Amino acid sequence: MGQPLQPGPIFKVLHRTVFEYDAPVRDSLNTLHLEPRTFPFQRTLSAVVRVLPATRVRRFHDLFENVTHHFEVPGDHRRLEIESRIRIQNLPLIIPQASQQALIHEYRGGDIPERTWAYLQDSRFVFRHPQIWRQALDITAGIEPVFEQAVAIMHWVHREFRYEAGSTHVNTHIEEAFALRRGVCQDFTHVMLGLCRAIGIPARYASGYLYNGPRDHLVGAQASHAWPEVFFPGVGWIGFDPTNETLADERYIKVAVGRDYDDVAPVRGTYHGTGHCKMTVTVEVDKVE
C-alpha cells in the first residue's frame, strides 16, 4: 500500500447484461457493482454505466467502499439492458518479504483487528463448520507464516475440487460446495474463505474479471470471475485464485470486495411481472497496452 504508481498494463472491459421478458414487467429495482474503485495495485482510468430504458442512476459507496449504482424502472418494459465500460491500469504485484513472513500473532496489533474484523465473521454463504475447521488445521499443520498457509489452502482447493459449470447455483452455501467437491469460481472462493477464516486468517471475497491473453489456459476469462483475498501486514489485501492456482496478479481486474458473493453481485434486482425471463451476459476483456 502507498506505492507510487508505475507503468503497467491497461485493460478495457465491456460487461453487458440483457433481460428479455415474455410479457411486460414493471417496478424493476436494481443494484449494481460494475465500476471499480482505485485499489492499491489498480487504478480506474474511466468508467461508464448505461441503463436502457433510460432512467436516473444513483451512484454511491457501500459499507465496503465499493462503487455502487442503484436505479428503478417503474413503467412497463419487456427488455432491460445494463452495460458498463471500464478502463483500468494495473501495477505489478509486489509482496514485501516481511509481509510473506508475517505470523498470525502479528494481526493482533495496531489497526489490523478493526480493518479485518468483518472478514473473520460468518456471512450469508460462508459460516463456521467443524469439518471445514478440521480440514484447515490439517492443510496448514506445521506451516507458520500466514502467506504460506494461504498458499497451501489455495493448492488444496485447486487439487481437491473440480471446476464444473452447472453443478452448483448462485445460492449454493459453503457446506454444500465443500461436500460436493465441485463448482465454479464462486464456490472455490467461498470454500477458501471458510478454510482461512476457520483458523483466524482474515479473508474477503473479490469479484471482477480476468485477462487471459492469447493463451486460453485460465478458467474464468471472458466472464465475471471471483477469488479470495487474504490480508497481510505491511501490504494489505492480496488475491489468491484457487480456480487457477495462482496469485491474483496484474491479469486480474478487481471491481468489488465483500464478505462473500452476497456483498458484490454485479447485478441484483427485483421486478413485478412474468417469471419467464431470458438473461444474456456478455463480457469482453481486452488489453489496450
Side-chain angles (χ1 to χ4, degrees), residues 57-71:
V57 179
R58 186 167 66 95
R59 181 180 182 274
F60 60 97
H61 289 78
D62 66 13
L63 292 175
F64 305 99
E65 300 183 27
N66 299 312
V67 178
T68 308
H69 294 82
H70 178 80
F71 68 89

PDB file of all heavy atoms in Angstrom, residues 57-71:
ATOM      1  N   VAL A  57     -29.832   7.034 -12.539  1.00  0.00           N
ATOM      2  CA  VAL A  57     -28.988   6.061 -11.847  1.00  0.00           C
ATOM      3  C   VAL A  57     -28.256   6.774 -10.715  1.00  0.00           C
ATOM      4  O   VAL A  57     -27.552   7.760 -10.932  1.00  0.00           O
ATOM      5  CB  VAL A  57     -27.978   5.409 -12.810  1.00  0.00           C
ATOM      6  CG1 VAL A  57     -27.097   4.413 -12.044  1.00  0.00           C
ATOM      7  CG2 VAL A  57     -28.697   4.714 -13.957  1.00  0.00           C
ATOM      8  N   ARG A  58     -28.430   6.293  -9.497  1.00  0.00           N
ATOM      9  CA  ARG A  58     -27.790   6.889  -8.327  1.00  0.00           C
ATOM     10  C   ARG A  58     -26.479   6.163  -8.045  1.00  0.00           C
ATOM     11  O   ARG A  58     -26.433   4.940  -8.029  1.00  0.00           O
ATOM     12  CB  ARG A  58     -28.719   6.792  -7.113  1.00  0.00           C
ATOM     13  CG  ARG A  58     -28.202   7.506  -5.875  1.00  0.00           C
ATOM     14  CD  ARG A  58     -29.303   7.639  -4.837  1.00  0.00           C
ATOM     15  NE  ARG A  58     -29.713   6.344  -4.324  1.00  0.00           N
ATOM     16  CZ  ARG A  58     -29.236   5.778  -3.209  1.00  0.00           C
ATOM     17  NH1 ARG A  58     -28.300   6.422  -2.504  1.00  0.00           N
ATOM     18  NH2 ARG A  58     -29.662   4.613  -2.801  1.00  0.00           N
ATOM     19  N   ARG A  59     -25.416   6.907  -7.824  1.00  0.00           N
ATOM     20  CA  ARG A  59     -24.088   6.345  -7.586  1.00  0.00           C
ATOM     21  C   ARG A  59     -23.660   6.658  -6.152  1.00  0.00           C
ATOM     22  O   ARG A  59     -23.744   7.808  -5.715  1.00  0.00           O
ATOM     23  CB  ARG A  59     -23.084   6.934  -8.581  1.00  0.00           C
ATOM     24  CG  ARG A  59     -21.652   6.418  -8.466  1.00  0.00           C
ATOM     25  CD  ARG A  59     -20.781   7.108  -9.520  1.00  0.00           C
ATOM     26  NE  ARG A  59     -19.404   6.634  -9.525  1.00  0.00           N
ATOM     27  CZ  ARG A  59     -18.439   7.120  -8.741  1.00  0.00           C
ATOM     28  NH1 ARG A  59     -18.711   8.094  -7.876  1.00  0.00           N
ATOM     29  NH2 ARG A  59     -17.207   6.642  -8.815  1.00  0.00           N
ATOM     30  N   PHE A  60     -23.167   5.652  -5.422  1.00  0.00           N
ATOM     31  CA  PHE A  60     -22.733   5.857  -4.047  1.00  0.00           C
ATOM     32  C   PHE A  60     -21.725   4.772  -3.684  1.00  0.00           C
ATOM     33  O   PHE A  60     -21.462   3.848  -4.470  1.00  0.00           O
ATOM     34  CB  PHE A  60     -23.928   5.828  -3.078  1.00  0.00           C
ATOM     35  CG  PHE A  60     -24.695   4.537  -3.094  1.00  0.00           C
ATOM     36  CD1 PHE A  60     -24.451   3.548  -2.150  1.00  0.00           C
ATOM     37  CD2 PHE A  60     -25.675   4.297  -4.049  1.00  0.00           C
ATOM     38  CE1 PHE A  60     -25.151   2.359  -2.153  1.00  0.00           C
ATOM     39  CE2 PHE A  60     -26.387   3.107  -4.062  1.00  0.00           C
ATOM     40  CZ  PHE A  60     -26.125   2.135  -3.113  1.00  0.00           C
ATOM     41  N   HIS A  61     -21.154   4.857  -2.491  1.00  0.00           N
ATOM     42  CA  HIS A  61     -20.240   3.833  -1.988  1.00  0.00           C
ATOM     43  C   HIS A  61     -20.939   3.051  -0.882  1.00  0.00           C
ATOM     44  O   HIS A  61     -21.558   3.641   0.006  1.00  0.00           O
ATOM     45  CB  HIS A  61     -18.960   4.471  -1.451  1.00  0.00           C
ATOM     46  CG  HIS A  61     -18.068   5.023  -2.510  1.00  0.00           C
ATOM     47  ND1 HIS A  61     -18.305   6.231  -3.129  1.00  0.00           N
ATOM     48  CD2 HIS A  61     -16.940   4.517  -3.092  1.00  0.00           C
ATOM     49  CE1 HIS A  61     -17.348   6.464  -4.025  1.00  0.00           C
ATOM     50  NE2 HIS A  61     -16.516   5.439  -4.018  1.00  0.00           N
ATOM     51  N   ASP A  62     -20.819   1.718  -0.929  1.00  0.00           N
ATOM     52  CA  ASP A  62     -21.466   0.898   0.080  1.00  0.00           C
ATOM     53  C   ASP A  62     -20.576   0.758   1.320  1.00  0.00           C
ATOM     54  O   ASP A  62     -19.538   1.432   1.446  1.00  0.00           O
ATOM     55  CB  ASP A  62     -21.863  -0.466  -0.494  1.00  0.00           C
ATOM     56  CG  ASP A  62     -20.658  -1.326  -0.885  1.00  0.00           C
ATOM     57  OD1 ASP A  62     -19.525  -0.990  -0.488  1.00  0.00           O
ATOM     58  OD2 ASP A  62     -20.866  -2.341  -1.573  1.00  0.00           O
ATOM     59  N   LEU A  63     -20.954  -0.116   2.248  1.00  0.00           N
ATOM     60  CA  LEU A  63     -20.224  -0.263   3.508  1.00  0.00           C
ATOM     61  C   LEU A  63     -18.799  -0.773   3.312  1.00  0.00           C
ATOM     62  O   LEU A  63     -17.944  -0.592   4.187  1.00  0.00           O
ATOM     63  CB  LEU A  63     -20.981  -1.216   4.439  1.00  0.00           C
ATOM     64  CG  LEU A  63     -22.327  -0.716   4.973  1.00  0.00           C
ATOM     65  CD1 LEU A  63     -23.019  -1.807   5.766  1.00  0.00           C
ATOM     66  CD2 LEU A  63     -22.134   0.529   5.831  1.00  0.00           C
ATOM     67  N   PHE A  64     -18.538  -1.409   2.172  1.00  0.00           N
ATOM     68  CA  PHE A  64     -17.203  -1.937   1.888  1.00  0.00           C
ATOM     69  C   PHE A  64     -16.422  -1.016   0.939  1.00  0.00           C
ATOM     70  O   PHE A  64     -15.413  -1.415   0.389  1.00  0.00           O
ATOM     71  CB  PHE A  64     -17.320  -3.346   1.302  1.00  0.00           C
ATOM     72  CG  PHE A  64     -18.099  -4.286   2.179  1.00  0.00           C
ATOM     73  CD1 PHE A  64     -19.435  -4.552   1.924  1.00  0.00           C
ATOM     74  CD2 PHE A  64     -17.504  -4.874   3.285  1.00  0.00           C
ATOM     75  CE1 PHE A  64     -20.163  -5.405   2.747  1.00  0.00           C
ATOM     76  CE2 PHE A  64     -18.224  -5.722   4.118  1.00  0.00           C
ATOM     77  CZ  PHE A  64     -19.554  -5.981   3.848  1.00  0.00           C
ATOM     78  N   GLU A  65     -16.958   0.201   0.755  1.00  0.00           N
ATOM     79  CA  GLU A  65     -16.357   1.231  -0.085  1.00  0.00           C
ATOM     80  C   GLU A  65     -16.428   0.904  -1.575  1.00  0.00           C
ATOM     81  O   GLU A  65     -15.755   1.524  -2.399  1.00  0.00           O
ATOM     82  CB  GLU A  65     -14.905   1.516   0.328  1.00  0.00           C
ATOM     83  CG  GLU A  65     -14.769   1.996   1.757  1.00  0.00           C
ATOM     84  CD  GLU A  65     -13.324   2.331   2.118  1.00  0.00           C
ATOM     85  OE1 GLU A  65     -12.554   2.682   1.211  1.00  0.00           O
ATOM     86  OE2 GLU A  65     -12.973   2.226   3.290  1.00  0.00           O
ATOM     87  N   ASN A  66     -17.238  -0.082  -1.951  1.00  0.00           N
ATOM     88  CA  ASN A  66     -17.427  -0.377  -3.363  1.00  0.00           C
ATOM     89  C   ASN A  66     -18.267   0.706  -4.030  1.00  0.00           C
ATOM     90  O   ASN A  66     -19.237   1.193  -3.443  1.00  0.00           O
ATOM     91  CB  ASN A  66     -18.164  -1.716  -3.540  1.00  0.00           C
ATOM     92  CG  ASN A  66     -17.401  -2.882  -2.964  1.00  0.00           C
ATOM     93  OD1 ASN A  66     -16.211  -3.038  -3.215  1.00  0.00           O
ATOM     94  ND2 ASN A  66     -18.088  -3.723  -2.197  1.00  0.00           N
ATOM     95  N   VAL A  67     -17.908   1.060  -5.258  1.00  0.00           N
ATOM     96  CA  VAL A  67     -18.754   1.944  -6.045  1.00  0.00           C
ATOM     97  C   VAL A  67     -20.012   1.170  -6.421  1.00  0.00           C
ATOM     98  O   VAL A  67     -19.938   0.075  -6.985  1.00  0.00           O
ATOM     99  CB  VAL A  67     -18.032   2.423  -7.313  1.00  0.00           C
ATOM    100  CG1 VAL A  67     -18.957   3.314  -8.134  1.00  0.00           C
ATOM    101  CG2 VAL A  67     -16.752   3.167  -6.953  1.00  0.00           C
ATOM    102  N   THR A  68     -21.152   1.717  -6.084  1.00  0.00           N
ATOM    103  CA  THR A  68     -22.427   1.024  -6.246  1.00  0.00           C
ATOM    104  C   THR A  68     -23.395   1.925  -7.003  1.00  0.00           C
ATOM    105  O   THR A  68     -23.404   3.141  -6.818  1.00  0.00           O
ATOM    106  CB  THR A  68     -23.019   0.682  -4.861  1.00  0.00           C
ATOM    107  OG1 THR A  68     -22.020  -0.005  -4.088  1.00  0.00           O
ATOM    108  CG2 THR A  68     -24.251  -0.195  -4.990  1.00  0.00           C
ATOM    109  N   HIS A  69     -24.188   1.319  -7.883  1.00  0.00           N
ATOM    110  CA  HIS A  69     -25.221   2.053  -8.613  1.00  0.00           C
ATOM    111  C   HIS A  69     -26.582   1.443  -8.290  1.00  0.00           C
ATOM    112  O   HIS A  69     -26.700   0.218  -8.139  1.00  0.00           O
ATOM    113  CB  HIS A  69     -24.986   1.994 -10.122  1.00  0.00           C
ATOM    114  CG  HIS A  69     -23.753   2.708 -10.576  1.00  0.00           C
ATOM    115  ND1 HIS A  69     -22.505   2.140 -10.515  1.00  0.00           N
ATOM    116  CD2 HIS A  69     -23.581   3.958 -11.090  1.00  0.00           C
ATOM    117  CE1 HIS A  69     -21.613   2.991 -10.979  1.00  0.00           C
ATOM    118  NE2 HIS A  69     -22.230   4.100 -11.333  1.00  0.00           N
ATOM    119  N   HIS A  70     -27.571   2.290  -8.206  1.00  0.00           N
ATOM    120  CA  HIS A  70     -28.940   1.834  -7.955  1.00  0.00           C
ATOM    121  C   HIS A  70     -29.884   2.582  -8.893  1.00  0.00           C
ATOM    122  O   HIS A  70     -29.727   3.788  -9.120  1.00  0.00           O
ATOM    123  CB  HIS A  70     -29.361   2.092  -6.508  1.00  0.00           C
ATOM    124  CG  HIS A  70     -30.775   1.674  -6.219  1.00  0.00           C
ATOM    125  ND1 HIS A  70     -31.136   0.372  -5.966  1.00  0.00           N
ATOM    126  CD2 HIS A  70     -31.929   2.397  -6.174  1.00  0.00           C
ATOM    127  CE1 HIS A  70     -32.436   0.306  -5.759  1.00  0.00           C
ATOM    128  NE2 HIS A  70     -32.938   1.521  -5.881  1.00  0.00           N
ATOM    129  N   PHE A  71     -30.857   1.842  -9.455  1.00  0.00           N
ATOM    130  CA  PHE A  71     -31.831   2.516 -10.324  1.00  0.00           C
ATOM    131  C   PHE A  71     -33.169   1.794 -10.250  1.00  0.00           C
ATOM    132  O   PHE A  71     -33.258   0.634  -9.837  1.00  0.00           O
ATOM    133  CB  PHE A  71     -31.333   2.580 -11.777  1.00  0.00           C
ATOM    134  CG  PHE A  71     -31.255   1.248 -12.471  1.00  0.00           C
ATOM    135  CD1 PHE A  71     -32.348   0.732 -13.154  1.00  0.00           C
ATOM    136  CD2 PHE A  71     -30.074   0.516 -12.453  1.00  0.00           C
ATOM    137  CE1 PHE A  71     -32.274  -0.492 -13.792  1.00  0.00           C
ATOM    138  CE2 PHE A  71     -29.992  -0.716 -13.091  1.00  0.00           C
ATOM    139  CZ  PHE A  71     -31.103  -1.216 -13.767  1.00  0.00           C
TER     140      PHE A  71
END
